[in-house]
Amino acid sequence: MKEVLSSRGHFDVDQLYENVKKYNRKVSRATVYRLIPHLIDSGVITETLRCQGRISYEKIQGESRHDHIVCLGCGKVIEFRDKKLQFLIDNICKKYDFKSIEHRLGIRGYCKKCMEKEEDAGNNQAEI
Ligand SMILES: [Zn+2]
Ligand SMILES: [Zn+2]
């Protein structure tokens, strides 16, 4: 399990299952599903974003405060860190007498490639 979780990046349950299977062929999908809440509870992984009914997770690492932009077209995930955003969140919390432990921001949309694809499709339709 540790080998599986040593990989960086985002994964969903199915991807995790595929990875676990490489090390242990006997593992069932149900086991992996049951494992997820346990891994979250023990602070090993965190839910990063939900997109089209799929939930992505990632390993919690030291400096893991970052946010995500996800493309609804191809599923590409971009990670970003922005000090101004953190500053803004700190300010909001101050305003409400709140200490923030974590925040989760997910921006959903379409990447440039998918936008271009969409435009092409539109043009083709116009020609017909
Ligand atoms: Zn895309
Ligand atoms: Zn991430």
Side-chain angles (χ1 to χ4, degrees):
M1 202 64 208
K2 279 209 178 79
E3 296 95 325
V4 176
L5 289 166
S6 66
S7 61
R8 240 198 82 80
H10 310 93
F11 54 86
D12 63 20
V13 180
D14 291 326
Q15 285 163 328
L16 183 63
Y17 171 59
E18 291 301 320
N19 264 324
V20 173
K21 247 189 356 188
K22 281 183 214 158
Y23 296 94
N24 187 348
R25 285 165 158 260
K26 280 184 226 155
V27 168
S28 72
R29 192 176 291 258
T31 306
V32 175
Y33 269 85
R34 271 199 304 270
L35 206 63
I36 293 278
H38 177 72
L39 289 171
I40 293 174
D41 281 349
S42 44
V44 179
I45 60 168
T46 182
E47 192 185 305
T48 48
L49 35 94
R50 285 164 194 258
C51 178
Q52 292 167 327
R54 294 174 87 88
I55 306 171
S56 284
Y57 305 92
E58 73 186 308
K59 219 184 120 196
I60 294 179
Q61 272 145 345
E63 189 52 46
S64 65
R65 263 200 179 194
H66 61 262
D67 293 293
H68 299 93
I69 303 174
V70 61
C71 177
L72 297 170
C74 61
K76 183 166 91 175
V77 178
I78 299 165
E79 295 190 340
F80 71 94
R81 291 170 179 77
D82 194 314
K83 277 187 184 150
K84 283 192 293 264
L85 186 67
Q86 192 54 53
F87 181 73
L88 199 65
I89 287 164
D90 287 345
N91 264 350
I92 294 167
C93 289
K94 225 178 268 170
K95 196 170 146 190
Y96 293 98
D97 272 333
F98 205 83
K99 181 180 162 40
S100 80
I101 302 296
E102 65 145 21
H103 71 265
R104 200 174 294 157
L105 180 74
I107 301 173
R108 291 176 183 77
Y110 293 96
C111 71
K112 200 176 168 212
K113 261 192 196 158
C114 289
M115 289 271 286
E116 279 165 3
K117 237 186 266 166
E118 195 100 309
E119 270 169 34
D120 285 350
N123 288 342
N124 289 341
Q125 269 174 2
E127 278 166 31
I128 299 160

